[in-house]
Amino acid sequence: MIAGLALAASAGVALAGPMSNPPTERTICIDVGGQSLPAVCKVPSSRLDRREDFCLCHQGIKVTAPVCGPGERAPSENIAYEKARKAAAGDGSLIGDLYEGRSMCVAPRDPLSGS
């Protein structure tokens, strides 16, 4: 029973990222060269709720990326970053991955533009 509770608790912690508002993670799409492609996401209609219910990638692979925190900016898009992002995205996530000592984060979704 204790093992079951521990498993349920860890599952709850894993779900806390995408379910938190504002979210701490976003879904992005990465093509074979490491370039970022747009993800098609179903999102709540509220401007206050910035969560993504689910996302699809029509091209490239679906990757989970951390959202940049206050005062933090995403790394500049360049060939070296795209190669590093492609290598880091091999496990389906950029969470915890660094580029030049900075998080491979993405900008939060803008509820007014839908991106």
Side-chain angles (χ1 to χ4, degrees):
M1 181 166 167
I2 293 174
L5 289 174
L7 181 61
S10 67
V13 169
L15 292 175
M19 299 308 291
S20 63
N21 189 29
T24 57
E25 302 172 359
R26 281 191 62 193
T27 299
I28 61 171
C29 303
I30 305 293
D31 78 355
V32 295
Q35 292 87 5
S36 181
L37 300 170
V40 178
C41 299
K42 180 185 176 299
V43 297
S45 59
S46 168
R47 284 192 248 166
L48 300 176
D49 190 349
R50 295 183 178 190
R51 294 177 294 176
E52 299 170 337
D53 291 336
F54 64 89
C55 298
L56 300 171
C57 290
H58 294 296
Q59 296 178 344
I61 61 169
K62 190 163 107 172
V63 176
T64 303
V67 172
C68 297
E72 184 179 22
R73 292 187 329 166
S76 300
E77 294 284 330
N78 59 49
I79 293 174
Y81 176 63
E82 290 169 356
K83 287 182 180 182
R85 180 170 52 195
K86 176 185 173 185
D91 63 353
S93 173
L94 296 177
I95 296 172
D97 294 321
L98 301 175
Y99 175 72
E100 295 182 348
R102 295 174 40 204
S103 171
M104 290 186 171
C105 64
V106 294
R109 183 176 67 83
D110 182 1
L112 298 177
S113 73
S115 64

